[in-house]
Amino acid sequence: VNFASDNVFGIHPRIIEALNTANAGTAVSYGGDDWTRRAEQRLSEVFERDVTAFLVVTGTAANALALSTMAPSYGAVLCHADAHVMVDECGAPELFTGGAKLIGLNEPGGKITAKTIERTLDGFIRGEHDAKPAAISITQASEFGTVYSPSEIKSISEVARGRKMRLHMDGARFANALVSLAATPAELTWKAGVDAMSFGATKNGAMALEAVIFFDSELAEDFTYRRMRAGQLLSKGRFLGAQMLAYLDGDLWLDNARYANAMAQRLAKGLAGAAKVRLPLPTQANEVFAIIPQTLHGELAAAGVVYHQWPGEGPGTDRVGPGEILVRFVTSYLTHPDDVDRLAELMG
Amino acid sequence: VNFASDNVFGIHPRIIEALNTANAGTAVSYGGDDWTRRAEQRLSEVFERDVTAFLVVTGTAANALALSTMAPSYGAVLCHADAHVMVDECGAPELFTGGAKLIGLNEPGGKITAKTIERTLDGFIRGEHDAKPAAISITQASEFGTVYSPSEIKSISEVARGRKMRLHMDGARFANALVSLAATPAELTWKAGVDAMSFGATKNGAMALEAVIFFDSELAEDFTYRRMRAGQLLSKGRFLGAQMLAYLDGDLWLDNARYANAMAQRLAKGLAGAAKVRLPLPTQANEVFAIIPQTLHGELAAAGVVYHQWPGEGPGTDRVGPGEILVRFVTSYLTHPDDVDRLAELMG
Amino acid sequence: VNFASDNVFGIHPRIIEALNTANAGTAVSYGGDDWTRRAEQRLSEVFERDVTAFLVVTGTAANALALSTMAPSYGAVLCHADAHVMVDECGAPELFTGGAKLIGLNEPGGKITAKTIERTLDGFIRGEHDAKPAAISITQASEFGTVYSPSEIKSISEVARGRKMRLHMDGARFANALVSLAATPAELTWKAGVDAMSFGATKNGAMALEAVIFFDSELAEDFTYRRMRAGQLLSKGRFLGAQMLAYLDGDLWLDNARYANAMAQRLAKGLAGAAKVRLPLPTQANEVFAIIPQTLHGELAAAGVVYHQWPGEGPGTDRVGPGEILVRFVTSYLTHPDDVDRLAELMG
Amino acid sequence: VNFASDNVFGIHPRIIEALNTANAGTAVSYGGDDWTRRAEQRLSEVFERDVTAFLVVTGTAANALALSTMAPSYGAVLCHADAHVMVDECGAPELFTGGAKLIGLNEPGGKITAKTIERTLDGFIRGEHDAKPAAISITQASEFGTVYSPSEIKSISEVARGRKMRLHMDGARFANALVSLAATPAELTWKAGVDAMSFGATKNGAMALEAVIFFDSELAEDFTYRRMRAGQLLSKGRFLGAQMLAYLDGDLWLDNARYANAMAQRLAKGLAGAAKVRLPLPTQANEVFAIIPQTLHGELAAAGVVYHQWPGEGPGTDRVGPGEILVRFVTSYLTHPDDVDRLAELMG
């Protein structure tokens, strides 16, 4: 019964089958192969316009490389104080940007707002003594399983536009946000003013695959150099292309996300009446955060439930109290409903 | 009537005289000269032990270079949220460390405490997903003109020691703190557990001069490479050495700081009864922060008083209210008592 | 008929089978899984001593990350002028070291010698005006398919030791060198004084897999941070571990390399009598470099032979003349003998 | 009798006098002062067009910061193999560019040629596997005291233009080249296609002063951030501005250079008939390189002559032979003709 993360599960059968199929014969190396070319084209179709897409291996690389095209070494990147780029990547954005400064905004719900961004930027009155505001990064779905609506994104992108900054979206769980909002990929990204995104596939069924997608092609210039230099250009690139094709084919990515989200909803409902458990946030994607008694933590562990305790006092206005802890449950395309029900029961 | 900063004033007569004197004849270049050697020795005397000292030109360079010996590129540096290294150096520490992450702690009074540092470090439970806690940086006197007592410093250095981290002191206004506390240089630094410091002279009468001083000689290894690579090694190095000798000679540095502090005290006293003015913090060095009505701001400007409005809502528990602003007045070894009295009167 | 590179071929059947097998069930993410642990142990067995090994995805990342543990940002790394780290990685070593300076030595045969290294280091007489000599990097087998004998490596490591420098080996084609020399992994590495190596598997049958192996465990400290920060820590890490286990299992890696080397020998022999073709170097691994007439180049292309033209005037003393070009043929565990014979015939 | 470098001499009387004069009263800090503004304007007059100029403290900083505006982290900078940026700055260009790769071209006479640059760039056929050619840097006067004619510079800038690269000039001894060629500042720079330069003053009479001058204003954008972040923005900036004003005033800079060059000519003539001494290059600025017997080296030292032995086998076609060494003599605005004559006599 593993709710630790969506990445504790393996590769979706259709994706690993694609790897097996792509293994025949020779192929041009370093991304010059046919699978990669087709995968990049498919992404343009998915986003309903020409995009420039680059396949890489990890989400950390995708985020940090995308930000490196937006923020110079003396630039500032505004993001949520709990954003993956801020607290989970060991400074990869700093490495790939050459030392840009990430500024974390502390807002409830795991999401940043145009208003707070504006207020923060208004404080940049020292000229070159401050870093230069260069980019904003949002996470869709957020680290706390909440989602940004298209209009929320648009508000943020308008701030960015007005200040000559760029907008990046960390879409490690983009599919989960997409099906949650019943929006199109275009509506959640370039139509709302996103300049570039990290398009995640690993957490949603791939082996190791993310795409950096540019809606502003100017940012994409020289990206091949950045990817190579980062050690993210696979010599046997066809195996990234093949993963992406299978991921998108027949809407596998959307089906996987829909299923995972449904499991999270099932869990949230199951916990609704649990006396000892409080959910500080609505469940909008495939993550359920809960404030639980320390004692329950021990019982769940004893019952073999695997999940993560989370640092901090909680992402909402309902905070962790004495004797309590914050925990996270993540569901996946492979999460079994019976496991969800059993977990709800154990916590009930 | 200029209270904008201590650096709006020029070079102390005894220091510029030293520059004139040092100008005779030839000297070995790149710091191999006699003035530099003697200056480094004098610093050992001042600190009552062998120190390794390196002269550089700016405080930003001193801080960033010092931190680069303590924090690897994947390291974290804890400091106050308003620290100079955090908000006034345009990312110089990130540049010279290769992208270390500065983590700003938001505490009243401009000072960080062992307790908050501990609590923050306790949140580093993600292993390599987080940056590695490497250093703590404190500012003495702080950016808000408050000072750390030796025992406060010791508490912080004990946290550092316990976590295998290093302690850096930004001493851009070290002299002001020193005379304020009536402590010795040794007591405020290595005896309290400081590993390296930026020893400022520019704000206190020099032309352009700071020293990076290592109490832990291991950190000093290879520092000559770092300084050269940073473009901080002067070819005509004698003019840094000569400044430092004059700065320390006859306790000029202490006299200058004592005078500047006295002027700040005089101003604080003068403002004590002013109805429209609130001082959010005690005056411990040569800076006075005040919360004043926006209207008064206009009057002062009209009267020709020069000073800085400060971003944020104030460094203390008494916050900036509607129609109010935060302002900073800095005094110097050249500030005239009449100007102080006139300012107090204007604000009274 | 593809001789462009060993990476135009796919994944060895036993390795992709291992991926399929490892896909069952859940596993701890980010390298905490059982496959990874066992792979790391197996590497210790292979090298006949405790090693610290870290799995990454590309050779460029392996090399650059390994060098980042040896050379500080102000350090110098000596390598061959044609080394992969010098001319094929778009500055990845500069990125991960924070700007260390690679110094390329131009020696025939693709290998550097202790003597040239010594002579180069003797020129470092400017102290901190020069970068600080920190590491030496050799490629085994070299970029030109030649191999370093254990005694050649030992001579180089003695220079490194004597100057307090470290020795890195780029082992992208380590297996090919190993079987060519009939040496043990230990003899070619730590017994000869190598401090850390990039242990390649991708070119020899894996999908995307290299290991950074430390013989000096001190260098390995904090490597987990470096790998994470570089975006090289896979969340579904089991798929790296599984590749490595299959690669080493039953000496698959050695068999693959032996076969590839035999194909290169077969080609070299086939070309021995070819009037228009000169081989500037002995064939010691799985690469054959040849100087051929420009006209033959067109004929081979017309016949559907795929290979790379190589920049420069040749790796040996026999140089490219007017109307001639340098070309490279690489053989693999999948190269067919008939294809080799056909190529030899076309060139005969 | 000191011929070690032009920087062993102090500050020209008129420049130190300017420092004394500028010391009165208060001034806006961080370069907002009147001296700095006027100095920047004067440079536009000197170059006969609007330039964007920034004052910094060292030549290493000037060069590295200028290059950081031209070369991205994944870029390549072509320069002479003996260029100051390549071998004397401990990797400062790598630091400030974020790891760009400097490629040193080995040509006689200390100068690079359009032809060699072209041939080198023709070898960049690997796309993103190579660094991206971004900038060319030339030194005027060169490290070996030779000068580039306007037409030589134009040839190089045409290569740069044709490849979308930028041209940087390290003008640490720009004044010496200028008077040597009897050209105007404009003819040697923007009229010949130079995009940005480091305009040196320290070696020619200032205390510590260089300007980064942009002829292409696009490159200058954000330079204030770069300078601040590098720790090169002086708080008491007036003392840089005052130096520059005095340096340019009444053509002091040209007079100083003319005098220094004349002293070098005097020395070269004095050595013309010396049996044991060979000058491998013509004397075009204020440096004289000589190949001398090792025995003479001892005699000169014994006579109290100070100068540098130089690494390498000589900058010209006439190479250092057995029992010989290469030495450098530098003259300055303060070099006494009697000292020159005595040196020539000692070597005769």
Side-chain angles (χ1 to χ4, degrees):
Chain A
V1 196
N2 196 323
F3 293 90
S5 186
D6 20 22
N7 55 34
V8 300
F9 297 95
I11 311 166
H12 190 279
R14 274 161 54 191
I15 296 177
I16 199 165
E17 188 195 327
L19 289 179
N20 284 285
T21 307
N23 198 31
T26 59
V28 180
S29 48
Y30 294 115
D33 63 273
D34 197 51
W35 291 264
T36 299
R37 195 186 46 72
R38 280 188 290 138
E40 290 168 0
Q41 285 174 351
R42 279 288 290 128
L43 285 166
S44 284
E45 291 164 26
V46 163
F47 282 94
E48 301 176 62
R49 57 164 286 182
D50 274 353
V51 300
T52 317
F54 299 89
L55 305 184
V56 299
V57 176
T58 65
T60 291
N63 285 335
L65 283 171
L67 289 175
S68 78
T69 70
M70 298 180 167
S73 57
Y74 49 85
V77 178
L78 272 63
C79 60
H80 194 276
D82 291 310
H84 202 269
V85 292
M86 187 70 179
V87 297
D88 288 297
E89 302 185 350
C90 197
E94 284 87 348
L95 172 62
F96 290 115
T97 58
K101 189 177 273 289
L102 274 71
I103 296 177
L105 310 182
N106 219 329
E107 291 200 80
K111 298 193 293 180
I112 55 176
T113 59
K115 194 179 159 189
T116 303
I117 295 168
E118 282 278 20
R119 202 179 54 231
T120 304
L121 291 170
D122 285 344
F124 278 70
I125 59 174
R126 305 168 198 241
E128 77 255 34
H129 299 266
D130 270 316
K132 184 185 183 187
I136 302 169
S137 179
I138 58 176
T139 312
Q140 177 78 312
S142 85
E143 282 74 15
F144 289 106
T146 49
V147 300
Y148 287 90
S149 70
S151 70
E152 286 172 330
I153 299 170
K154 200 167 287 178
S155 303
I156 292 172
S157 75
E158 277 161 11
V159 177
R161 217 61 72 216
R163 308 248 186 182
K164 299 195 177 170
M165 298 170 71
R166 305 291 196 148
L167 180 56
H168 167 253
M169 176 181 281
D170 174 356
R173 293 189 179 97
F174 182 66
N176 302 92
L178 198 65
V179 299
S180 172
L181 287 158
T184 67
E187 285 165 357
L188 278 193
T189 57
W190 61 272
K191 286 188 176 171
V194 172
D195 293 300
M197 81 176 299
S198 308
F199 180 86
T202 310
K203 290 182 195 293
N204 195 30
M207 172 182 159
L209 174 66
E210 315 280 315
V212 181
I213 299 178
F214 291 97
F215 306 109
D216 179 337
S217 62
E218 201 187 293
L219 293 174
E221 207 190 307
D222 289 348
F223 193 81
T224 53
Y225 289 95
R226 295 186 185 275
R227 179 177 57 177
M228 175 67 214
R229 176 174 168 81
Q232 287 285 328
L233 179 61
L234 289 203
S235 58
K236 299 183 178 175
R238 58 171 130 168
F239 298 110
L240 292 185
Q243 283 183 73
M244 185 58 85
L245 287 170
Y247 181 67
L248 299 175
D249 204 31
D251 287 344
L252 174 62
W253 65 306
L254 301 178
D255 292 345
N256 280 0
R258 231 171 253 123
Y259 180 91
N261 284 9
M263 288 301 106
Q265 286 296 339
R266 188 182 185 109
L267 178 58
K269 266 177 210 145
L271 297 178
K276 294 177 291 187
V277 174
R278 305 196 309 281
L279 304 192
L281 292 178
T283 298
Q284 299 178 330
N286 67 323
E287 297 184 294
V288 178
F289 282 81
I291 298 171
I292 66 170
Q294 180 78 44
T295 50
L296 179 55
H297 188 38
E299 293 164 30
L300 292 173
V305 186
V306 181
Y307 57 92
H308 280 303
Q309 181 175 348
W310 214 248
E313 297 166 58
T317 48
D318 187 355
R319 312 294 279 177
V320 173
E324 293 181 331
I325 61 169
L326 180 69
V327 299
R328 184 190 77 163
F329 303 102
V330 189
T331 55
S332 145
Y333 75 96
L334 273 184
T335 301
H336 201 285
D338 292 354
D339 288 344
V340 172
D341 295 345
R342 181 155 170 257
L343 173 58
E345 199 181 331
L346 282 166
M347 296 177 72
Chain B
V1 197
N2 197 322
F3 293 91
S5 186
D6 20 21
N7 55 34
V8 300
F9 297 95
I11 311 168
H12 190 278
R14 274 160 55 190
I15 296 178
I16 199 165
E17 188 195 327
L19 290 178
N20 284 287
T21 307
N23 199 30
T26 60
V28 180
S29 49
Y30 295 114
D33 62 274
D34 197 50
W35 291 265
T36 300
R37 195 185 46 73
R38 280 187 290 138
E40 290 168 0
Q41 285 174 351
R42 279 288 289 127
L43 286 165
S44 285
E45 292 165 26
V46 163
F47 283 94
E48 302 176 62
R49 58 165 286 182
D50 275 354
V51 300
T52 317
F54 300 89
L55 306 183
V56 298
V57 176
T58 65
T60 291
N63 285 335
L65 284 171
L67 289 175
S68 78
T69 69
M70 299 181 165
S73 56
Y74 49 85
V77 178
L78 273 63
C79 60
H80 195 276
D82 291 309
H84 202 270
V85 292
M86 189 69 179
V87 297
D88 288 297
E89 302 185 351
C90 197
E94 284 87 347
L95 172 63
F96 289 115
T97 58
K101 188 178 272 290
L102 273 70
I103 297 177
L105 310 181
N106 218 329
E107 292 200 79
K111 299 194 293 179
I112 55 177
T113 59
K115 196 179 160 187
T116 302
I117 295 168
E118 282 277 20
R119 202 180 53 232
T120 303
L121 291 170
D122 285 343
F124 278 70
I125 60 175
R126 306 167 197 240
E128 76 257 32
H129 299 265
D130 271 315
K132 184 184 183 188
I136 301 168
S137 179
I138 58 176
T139 312
Q140 178 77 315
S142 85
E143 282 73 14
F144 290 105
T146 49
V147 300
Y148 288 89
S149 71
S151 71
E152 286 172 328
I153 300 170
K154 200 168 287 177
S155 302
I156 292 172
S157 75
E158 277 162 11
V159 177
R161 217 61 72 216
R163 307 248 186 181
K164 298 194 177 170
M165 297 170 70
R166 305 291 195 149
L167 180 56
H168 167 253
M169 176 180 281
D170 174 356
R173 293 190 179 96
F174 182 67
N176 302 93
L178 199 64
V179 299
S180 172
L181 287 157
T184 67
E187 285 165 358
L188 278 193
T189 56
W190 62 273
K191 286 188 176 172
V194 173
D195 294 300
M197 80 176 298
S198 308
F199 179 86
T202 310
K203 290 181 195 295
N204 195 29
M207 172 183 161
L209 173 66
E210 315 280 314
V212 181
I213 300 178
F214 292 96
F215 306 108
D216 178 338
S217 62
E218 201 188 292
L219 293 174
E221 207 190 308
D222 289 347
F223 193 82
T224 53
Y225 290 95
R226 295 186 184 275
R227 179 177 56 177
M228 175 67 214
R229 175 176 169 81
Q232 288 285 327
L233 180 61
L234 290 203
S235 59
K236 300 184 177 174
R238 58 172 130 169
F239 297 110
L240 292 185
Q243 283 182 73
M244 184 59 86
L245 287 170
Y247 182 67
L248 299 175
D249 204 32
D251 287 344
L252 174 62
W253 66 306
L254 302 178
D255 291 345
N256 281 359
R258 232 172 252 125
Y259 180 89
N261 285 8
M263 288 301 107
Q265 286 296 338
R266 187 181 186 110
L267 178 58
K269 265 178 211 146
L271 297 177
K276 294 177 292 187
V277 175
R278 306 195 309 280
L279 304 192
L281 292 178
T283 299
Q284 299 178 329
N286 65 324
E287 297 184 295
V288 177
F289 282 81
I291 298 171
I292 66 170
Q294 181 77 45
T295 50
L296 180 53
H297 188 38
E299 294 164 29
L300 291 174
V305 186
V306 181
Y307 57 92
H308 280 303
Q309 181 174 348
W310 214 249
E313 297 166 57
T317 47
D318 187 354
R319 313 293 279 176
V320 173
E324 294 182 331
I325 61 169
L326 180 69
V327 299
R328 185 189 77 163
F329 304 103
V330 189
T331 56
S332 144
Y333 74 98
L334 273 185
T335 300
H336 201 285
D338 292 353
D339 288 343
V340 172
D341 296 345
R342 181 158 168 255
L343 173 59
E345 199 180 332
L346 282 166
M347 296 177 72
Chain C
V1 196
N2 197 323
F3 292 91
S5 186
D6 20 22
N7 55 34
V8 301
F9 298 94
I11 312 167
H12 190 277
R14 274 160 57 189
I15 297 178
I16 199 165
E17 188 195 327
L19 289 178
N20 285 286
T21 307
N23 197 32
T26 60
V28 179
S29 48
Y30 294 115
D33 62 273
D34 197 50
W35 291 265
T36 299
R37 196 186 44 72
R38 280 188 290 137
E40 290 167 0
Q41 285 174 350
R42 280 287 289 125
L43 285 165
S44 284
E45 291 164 27
V46 163
F47 283 93
E48 300 176 63
R49 57 164 286 181
D50 275 355
V51 300
T52 317
F54 300 88
L55 306 184
V56 299
V57 176
T58 65
T60 291
N63 284 335
L65 284 170
L67 289 175
S68 78
T69 69
M70 298 180 166
S73 57
Y74 49 86
V77 178
L78 273 62
C79 61
H80 194 277
D82 292 308
H84 202 270
V85 292
M86 188 70 179
V87 297
D88 289 295
E89 302 186 349
C90 197
E94 284 86 348
L95 172 62
F96 290 115
T97 58
K101 188 177 273 289
L102 273 70
I103 296 176
L105 310 182
N106 218 329
E107 291 200 79
K111 300 193 292 179
I112 55 177
T113 59
K115 195 179 159 188
T116 302
I117 295 167
E118 282 278 20
R119 201 180 53 231
T120 304
L121 292 170
D122 285 344
F124 279 70
I125 58 175
R126 307 167 197 241
E128 75 257 32
H129 299 265
D130 271 314
K132 185 185 182 188
I136 300 168
S137 179
I138 57 176
T139 312
Q140 177 77 313
S142 85
E143 282 73 15
F144 289 106
T146 48
V147 299
Y148 288 89
S149 71
S151 71
E152 286 173 329
I153 299 171
K154 199 167 288 177
S155 301
I156 292 173
S157 75
E158 276 161 12
V159 177
R161 217 62 73 215
R163 307 250 185 179
K164 298 195 177 170
M165 298 170 71
R166 305 292 195 147
L167 180 55
H168 167 254
M169 177 181 280
D170 174 355
R173 293 191 179 95
F174 182 68
N176 302 92
L178 198 63
V179 300
S180 171
L181 287 157
T184 67
E187 285 164 358
L188 279 193
T189 57
W190 62 273
K191 286 188 176 172
V194 172
D195 293 301
M197 79 176 299
S198 308
F199 179 88
T202 310
K203 290 182 195 294
N204 195 29
M207 172 182 160
L209 172 67
E210 314 280 315
V212 181
I213 300 178
F214 292 96
F215 306 109
D216 179 337
S217 63
E218 201 187 290
L219 293 174
E221 207 191 306
D222 290 348
F223 193 82
T224 53
Y225 289 96
R226 294 185 184 275
R227 180 177 55 178
M228 175 68 214
R229 174 175 170 81
Q232 288 285 328
L233 179 60
L234 290 203
S235 59
K236 299 183 178 176
R238 58 170 130 169
F239 298 110
L240 293 185
Q243 284 183 72
M244 185 58 85
L245 288 170
Y247 182 67
L248 299 175
D249 205 32
D251 288 345
L252 174 63
W253 65 306
L254 301 178
D255 291 345
N256 281 358
R258 233 172 253 124
Y259 180 90
N261 284 9
M263 288 301 106
Q265 287 296 337
R266 188 182 186 109
L267 178 58
K269 267 177 210 147
L271 296 178
K276 293 177 292 186
V277 174
R278 304 195 309 279
L279 304 191
L281 292 177
T283 299
Q284 298 177 330
N286 67 325
E287 297 184 295
V288 177
F289 282 81
I291 297 172
I292 65 169
Q294 181 77 43
T295 50
L296 179 55
H297 189 37
E299 294 165 31
L300 291 173
V305 186
V306 181
Y307 57 90
H308 280 303
Q309 181 175 349
W310 214 248
E313 297 165 57
T317 47
D318 188 354
R319 314 292 280 176
V320 173
E324 294 183 330
I325 61 168
L326 181 69
V327 299
R328 185 190 76 164
F329 303 102
V330 189
T331 55
S332 146
Y333 74 97
L334 273 184
T335 300
H336 201 285
D338 292 353
D339 288 344
V340 172
D341 295 345
R342 178 153 171 259
L343 173 58
E345 200 180 330
L346 283 166
M347 297 177 72
Chain D
V1 196
N2 196 325
F3 293 91
S5 186
D6 20 22
N7 55 34
V8 300
F9 297 95
I11 311 168
H12 189 278
R14 274 160 56 191
I15 297 178
I16 199 165
E17 188 195 328
L19 289 178
N20 284 284
T21 306
N23 198 31
T26 59
V28 179
S29 48
Y30 294 116
D33 62 274
D34 196 51
W35 291 265
T36 300
R37 196 185 45 72
R38 281 188 290 138
E40 290 168 0
Q41 286 175 349
R42 280 287 290 125
L43 285 165
S44 285
E45 292 164 26
V46 163
F47 282 93
E48 300 175 64
R49 57 165 284 181
D50 274 355
V51 300
T52 317
F54 300 89
L55 306 183
V56 299
V57 176
T58 64
T60 291
N63 285 335
L65 284 170
L67 288 176
S68 78
T69 69
M70 298 181 166
S73 57
Y74 50 85
V77 178
L78 272 63
C79 60
H80 194 276
D82 291 309
H84 202 270
V85 292
M86 187 69 179
V87 297
D88 288 296
E89 302 185 351
C90 197
E94 284 86 349
L95 173 62
F96 290 116
T97 57
K101 188 177 273 290
L102 274 70
I103 296 177
L105 310 182
N106 218 327
E107 292 199 78
K111 300 193 293 180
I112 55 177
T113 59
K115 194 178 160 189
T116 303
I117 295 167
E118 283 278 19
R119 202 179 54 231
T120 304
L121 291 170
D122 286 343
F124 278 70
I125 59 174
R126 307 167 197 242
E128 76 256 33
H129 299 265
D130 271 314
K132 184 184 183 188
I136 300 168
S137 179
I138 58 176
T139 312
Q140 177 78 314
S142 85
E143 282 74 14
F144 290 105
T146 48
V147 300
Y148 287 90
S149 71
S151 71
E152 285 173 329
I153 300 171
K154 199 167 287 178
S155 303
I156 293 173
S157 74
E158 277 161 11
V159 177
R161 217 62 73 218
R163 309 248 185 180
K164 298 193 178 172
M165 298 171 70
R166 306 289 197 151
L167 180 56
H168 167 254
M169 177 181 280
D170 174 355
R173 293 190 179 96
F174 181 67
N176 302 93
L178 198 64
V179 300
S180 172
L181 288 157
T184 67
E187 285 165 357
L188 279 193
T189 56
W190 61 272
K191 286 188 176 170
V194 172
D195 294 300
M197 81 176 297
S198 308
F199 180 87
T202 310
K203 290 182 194 295
N204 195 30
M207 172 183 161
L209 172 67
E210 314 279 316
V212 181
I213 300 178
F214 292 97
F215 306 109
D216 178 338
S217 63
E218 200 188 293
L219 293 174
E221 206 190 308
D222 289 349
F223 194 81
T224 54
Y225 289 94
R226 293 186 185 276
R227 180 177 57 178
M228 174 68 214
R229 175 176 169 82
Q232 287 286 329
L233 179 61
L234 289 204
S235 59
K236 300 183 179 176
R238 60 171 128 168
F239 297 110
L240 292 185
Q243 283 183 73
M244 184 59 85
L245 287 170
Y247 182 67
L248 299 176
D249 204 33
D251 287 344
L252 175 61
W253 65 306
L254 301 178
D255 291 345
N256 282 358
R258 231 171 253 125
Y259 180 90
N261 285 8
M263 288 301 108
Q265 286 297 339
R266 188 183 185 108
L267 178 57
K269 267 177 209 146
L271 297 178
K276 293 177 293 185
V277 175
R278 304 197 309 280
L279 304 192
L281 292 177
T283 298
Q284 299 178 328
N286 67 324
E287 297 183 295
V288 177
F289 283 80
I291 297 172
I292 65 170
Q294 180 78 44
T295 49
L296 178 55
H297 189 37
E299 294 165 30
L300 292 173
V305 187
V306 180
Y307 57 91
H308 280 303
Q309 182 175 348
W310 215 249
E313 297 166 59
T317 47
D318 187 353
R319 314 292 280 177
V320 173
E324 294 182 330
I325 61 169
L326 179 70
V327 299
R328 184 189 77 164
F329 303 102
V330 189
T331 56
S332 144
Y333 74 97
L334 273 184
T335 300
H336 201 285
D338 292 353
D339 288 344
V340 172
D341 295 345
R342 180 157 170 257
L343 174 58
E345 199 181 332
L346 283 166
M347 297 176 72

